[in-house]
Amino acid sequence: MDELKLRNVHLQQVQNQIRHKTDGLSSSTLVLRRGQPFTILINYDGRPFDPLKDKLFFRIVLGPLSEEVPVSVSGQPSPSQWSAILERRVPDPNAGRTLTVSLYSPASSSVGVYTLHLRVETRGSIKSHVLGQFTLLCNPWCQADSVFLQSEDLRNEYIRNDFGLLFKGSPGNVASRPWSFDQYEKGILDICMKLLQLSPQSQADARKDLLNRNSPVYIGRVISAMVNCQDDKGVLMGNWSGKYNDGVNPSTWSGSADILWKWSETQFSPVRYGQCWVFAAVMCTVMRALGIPTRVVTNFNSAHDTNANMVIEEYYSEKGEKLSIGRDSVWNFHVWVESWMKRPDLDGDYDGWQVLDPTPQETSAGMYRCGPAAVKAVYEQKVSAPYDVPFVYAEVNADLRRIIIRDGKILATSVDKDIVGALICTKRPGPAMLMLDITSEYKTEMARSGEGANGRGVLQGIGVSLQLVKAPVVGENISFIVKIINNMAIPKLLRKYVNAQNKEYNHNPTGTFWEAHDDLTIGPNETVTVKHEISFNNYMLNEVREDCLVNLAVVIEDVKSQERVLVSEEFNISSPALNIQIQNESSVIINTQQFATVTFTNPFNVAVSGDLIVAGSGLLEEKVQMRLTIQPRETMRRPIRFIPRMTGAKMLHASLVLTAQSTVLRGFKTVTVQAA
């Protein structure tokens, strides 16, 4: 009888990837999750396979690491090492000679790109074959994996969902913007694996790096550093200068794929430019692609405490102008990610959400990275827990001291213990694009948006408060009320200074664009309410840009005693939104042409020009881009055709990049694509 001879091996890419929930991920290899079996078919000619005479051995190779795995005809897979078991199948006379083998990876396997070899030993020969490559990811569906997540809804949200919301603005006027994580776009998974390969850890000692890649704690730390380019061949270069002529304005990015593609296409040169929400969104893409559940989180009024004393100092002039003094600062918002994982390296129960921050702020063990810091350790003030818990704790808990100075002398001080970390939030899981408040996971006492402690102040016998009449919107005047209460039985002569400055979210203000000051007399036990308005014409040139905010401050001086009190409020001005309507949105079918309409009414009293860009991962193969000019109060309508290529929840999003105003207007629509 003819000798047993291998004909071919079928890795069953489609079937295995559906079972491993990696279908849709774009890679040059088979994509699998650890801790879960996959099956391959071995087709051969000649005599039947005889397990007493014939032996099969797989060799699993990961860089300099390899493991030989004999194929067993029976038994149970090992939880700690690779196993291969020959499945018993009823022979199919029409299928030729076929063996079905199930390969089992441990749930603690390293994440990476493996090569699979097969050695066939018969009495007459020994032959080796290279079968191909596979990419192995973490597995939140596997209970033994350290990233296991109990809820299927949360697994779908934090692993499989490829779009989300990023929150910006201020606690009292939260602005949301869509982001496309793009983990299913062409080549993105392979680029994410390249991040691991190009890390300083891998370059210094590939063997040690690959062994450590079994831990999501280690992977998170590596990716946190690789998303910025401070110490390595990382993805993004930060820029907070406002000058982006030699790159891309961070506000114009709307998805991760363009950034990761550009990094790969330029031989891994840093992409210009990113700011905190861009760093975080790209890291979310990479972590979800690697199989680690991840979400993007915004901390409003985020403290950057450079000297670790838990106090941020802000300086004002006697007329309420905020001054650029000192290295500490409070960012109006800061964006990081949380990833879900066990923490076997910590004493106590600190499994669950971990803060990871790729924005280069401070170094951690000599590199610009942050985390993973267990959210529970931040809540419990366990500042000794690795990694970087003190820095994150200060970001959400530092005290803010406001100081009024003149000629270097301190005129008045006040301390606000509630403003920092006033709101911490992320996208709510599920199809509704809503915000989820997670402040209580970080802090025992929650500050809430609204008037807030920063909007009130007390002088000897005088109470002062500052409150916006309504959340400001571009095209409308800014209205606010200053309320002064005299709790004394005597009249008071007061001097009132009101000052408005434009600022970016992570900087002290630049210059005053509006101010008012006057003297007033307030009677015994009297309350005086003064309404102010800043006209649209006053702020439109300064404030229409995305991520620009207003610092509004009031100083009340008791003329007789020369005592002063300061109250302030920082807020954003909401931009108008684009509207997207999808025709027959309840019956959007895969591989079938669909129609959408993008509309926008120009609220400005001048014509605006810019580029309209429409994109949607899984909906549009390429972005739709067109140049527009829209007259004052004119309504623009543009039809868009698209053909969905993936089922499930997807997002169509549009941005209008206004040239003269240096701003980006946005809109989005989610749609559920059904099977044919």
Side-chain angles (χ1 to χ4, degrees):
M1 186 177 282
D2 290 345
E3 185 58 63
L4 183 151
K5 185 179 179 183
L6 190 74
R7 188 165 74 247
N8 58 53
V9 175
H10 197 304
L11 296 182
Q12 299 200 101
Q13 184 162 354
V14 173
Q15 300 93 318
N16 280 318
Q17 291 194 176
I18 289 172
R19 284 198 291 268
H20 283 242
K21 295 182 171 60
T22 58
D23 46 315
L25 289 171
S26 165
S27 172
S28 55
T29 75
L30 170 67
V31 184
L32 304 167
R33 297 195 188 279
R34 63 189 190 179
Q36 185 174 342
F38 63 100
T39 57
I40 64 173
L41 302 180
I42 301 172
N43 299 309
Y44 66 98
D45 297 317
R47 62 173 173 77
F49 177 80
D50 183 349
L52 297 176
K53 298 178 181 177
D54 307 314
K55 303 296 178 191
L56 302 175
F57 298 88
F58 287 100
R59 194 157 61 90
I60 316 288
V61 179
L62 178 62
L65 308 175
S66 69
E67 185 173 341
E68 187 160 281
V69 184
V71 176
S72 305
V73 293
S74 62
Q76 292 296 314
S78 165
S80 59
Q81 61 187 36
W82 283 82
S83 312
I85 297 176
L86 187 65
E87 301 291 341
R88 297 192 181 279
R89 294 283 176 93
V90 177
D92 181 350
N94 300 318
R97 300 202 187 280
T98 301
L99 299 174
T100 302
V101 178
S102 289
L103 277 154
Y104 297 79
S105 63
S108 58
S109 299
S110 292
V111 169
V113 181
Y114 291 73
T115 304
L116 186 62
H117 300 252
L118 174 63
R119 189 170 81 252
V120 182
E121 296 186 2
T122 66
R123 284 189 174 175
S125 67
I126 299 175
K127 292 190 176 174
S128 295
H129 310 268
V130 179
L131 305 185
Q133 290 188 311
F134 62 90
T135 299
L136 194 65
L137 308 176
C138 292
N139 191 353
W141 283 267
C142 172
Q143 202 154 358
D145 197 308
S146 54
V147 300
F148 173 67
L149 194 54
Q150 184 77 44
S151 161
E152 177 69 5
D153 288 344
L154 296 187
R155 290 191 293 250
N156 282 327
E157 178 70 33
Y158 299 132
I159 290 287
R160 306 198 82 182
N161 197 359
D162 64 349
F163 62 87
L165 287 179
L166 313 182
F167 296 101
K168 302 163 81 173
S170 55
N173 189 21
V174 175
S176 62
R177 57 162 291 181
W179 189 271
S180 186
F181 295 116
D182 294 333
Q183 66 264 38
Y184 300 111
E185 290 297 300
K186 188 173 178 57
I188 291 299
L189 177 59
D190 291 344
I191 296 171
C192 294
M193 301 310 295
K194 199 74 179 175
L195 255 81
L196 292 170
Q197 186 187 330
L198 291 176
S199 73
Q201 292 89 335
S202 176
Q203 298 296 307
D205 188 339
R207 182 184 179 85
K208 183 180 177 184
D209 171 67
L210 290 167
L211 288 169
N212 284 333
R213 278 201 223 158
N214 67 340
S215 162
V217 174
Y218 176 82
I219 291 171
R221 204 145 167 77
V222 169
I223 298 300
S224 171
M226 281 298 294
V227 170
N228 70 68
C229 68
Q230 300 297 106
D231 318 284
D232 44 43
K233 293 175 72 72
V235 176
L236 274 162
M237 182 181 292
N239 185 343
W240 287 266
S241 70
K243 299 180 177 67
Y244 313 115
N245 295 341
D246 58 344
V248 175
N249 182 331
S251 292
T252 61
W253 298 115
S254 59
S256 300
D258 286 341
I259 296 167
L260 292 167
W261 283 331
K262 195 176 182 80
W263 180 66
S264 176
E265 289 162 3
T266 57
Q267 282 69 56
F268 313 105
S269 298
V271 177
R272 303 167 187 243
Y273 289 106
Q275 291 183 7
C276 67
W277 68 93
V278 186
F279 287 110
V282 169
M283 182 160 185
C284 184
T285 296
V286 176
M287 297 296 273
R288 285 187 185 183
L290 297 179
I292 301 172
T294 301
R295 61 190 186 183
V296 180
V297 170
T298 300
N299 176 37
F300 286 98
N301 301 333
S302 188
H304 187 171
D305 180 21
T306 57
N307 57 6
N309 69 346
M310 289 295 294
V311 177
I312 308 295
E313 294 177 334
E314 290 185 345
Y315 294 87
Y316 287 80
S317 76
E318 59 187 318
K319 294 184 178 180
E321 184 179 5
K322 196 173 185 181
L323 306 171
S324 292
I325 298 175
R327 288 190 64 222
D328 284 359
S329 60
V330 174
W331 292 16
N332 292 88
F333 61 86
H334 181 48
V335 185
W336 56 65
V337 301
E338 289 176 359
S339 292
W340 182 272
M341 62 188 74
K342 287 187 169 67
R343 290 300 302 269
D345 57 315
L346 300 183
D347 293 329
D349 180 16
Y350 293 102
D351 300 345
W353 290 116
Q354 314 287 322
V355 172
L356 287 153
D357 190 350
T359 299
Q361 296 182 91
E362 301 290 328
T363 58
S364 172
M367 297 179 73
Y368 279 94
R369 57 188 171 183
C370 180
V375 172
K376 190 177 177 188
V378 175
Y379 180 89
E380 293 180 356
Q381 304 179 38
K382 190 176 174 61
V383 293
S384 61
Y387 295 88
D388 309 307
V389 170
F391 186 76
V392 178
Y393 181 81
E395 286 183 301
V396 300
N397 284 295
D399 292 346
L400 177 64
R401 179 181 291 136
R402 295 188 181 90
I403 303 167
I404 303 175
I405 61 170
R406 180 179 64 199
D407 299 329
K409 292 181 180 176
I410 295 175
L411 303 178
T413 63
S414 61
V415 176
D416 190 333
K417 292 182 173 291
D418 299 322
I419 185 173
V420 169
L423 172 65
I424 306 169
C425 63
T426 187
K427 176 189 172 291
R428 183 181 295 279
M433 299 285 271
L434 300 172
M435 184 187 83
L436 177 67
D437 183 344
I438 57 171
T439 315
S440 61
E441 295 180 21
Y442 284 80
K443 304 177 69 167
T444 50
E445 293 179 18
M446 292 179 290
R448 280 291 167 260
S449 60
E451 187 179 342
N454 55 319
R456 296 189 302 272
V458 179
L459 186 62
Q460 186 72 37
I462 298 287
V464 184
S465 66
L466 166 64
Q467 194 166 14
L468 292 166
V469 173
K470 56 175 286 196
V473 178
V474 166
E476 299 176 2
N477 295 345
I478 300 171
S479 300
F480 62 95
I481 290 170
V482 178
K483 185 186 286 187
I484 306 166
I485 304 170
N486 184 5
N487 296 312
M488 305 286 282
I490 56 172
K492 293 265 190 181
L493 176 61
L494 304 175
R495 189 161 290 146
K496 174 168 66 74
Y497 299 97
V498 190
N499 187 290
Q501 297 166 273
N502 62 305
K503 72 182 294 287
E504 294 193 26
Y505 74 98
N506 65 318
H507 283 287
N508 278 327
T510 47
T512 297
F513 69 86
W514 179 91
E515 59 185 333
H517 48 86
D518 59 317
D519 292 351
L520 59 95
T521 301
I522 185 168
N525 301 307
E526 184 185 2
T527 298
V528 173
T529 300
V530 183
K531 184 177 181 182
H532 289 279
E533 284 209 343
I534 303 174
S535 73
F536 175 52
N537 289 339
N538 276 121
Y539 74 80
M540 69 170 288
L541 294 177
N542 296 296
E543 287 306 320
V544 76
R545 296 203 315 273
E546 185 177 10
D547 307 319
C548 271
L549 298 102
V550 175
N551 184 85
L552 188 62
V554 177
V555 173
I556 301 294
E557 178 186 353
D558 184 326
V559 173
K560 184 177 180 182
S561 67
Q562 295 196 333
E563 288 185 78
R564 294 169 177 83
V565 64
L566 166 79
V567 293
S568 69
E569 186 84 28
E570 290 189 343
F571 56 87
N572 56 308
I573 301 173
S574 299
S575 297
L578 308 182
N579 183 269
I580 301 177
Q581 292 297 325
I582 295 176
Q583 190 177 319
N584 302 320
E585 66 176 280
S586 60
S587 56
V588 175
I589 310 296
I590 191 170
N591 298 325
T592 305
Q593 183 169 268
Q594 311 288 337
F595 293 91
T597 305
V598 181
T599 60
F600 171 67
T601 301
N602 178 11
F604 306 109
N605 52 15
V606 294
V608 295
S609 297
D611 292 312
L612 177 67
I613 303 165
V614 184
S617 183
L619 300 175
L620 283 164
E621 281 288 346
E622 293 185 352
K623 292 178 181 176
V624 176
Q625 190 163 344
M626 59 189 82
R627 184 80 181 162
L628 299 175
T629 298
I630 312 166
Q631 298 303 317
R633 314 299 168 187
E634 179 191 356
T635 298
M636 167 277 293
R637 289 182 179 82
R638 290 294 182 274
I640 304 293
R641 289 187 299 178
F642 64 97
I643 300 175
R645 54 189 170 86
M646 291 183 74
T647 58
K650 296 291 159 192
M651 178 179 69
L652 195 66
H653 56 101
S655 55
L656 180 58
V657 184
L658 299 181
T659 311
Q661 285 77 14
S662 299
T663 194
V664 185
L665 310 180
R666 304 180 189 280
F668 65 89
K669 182 76 173 178
T670 57
V671 60
T672 301
V673 180
Q674 300 170 18

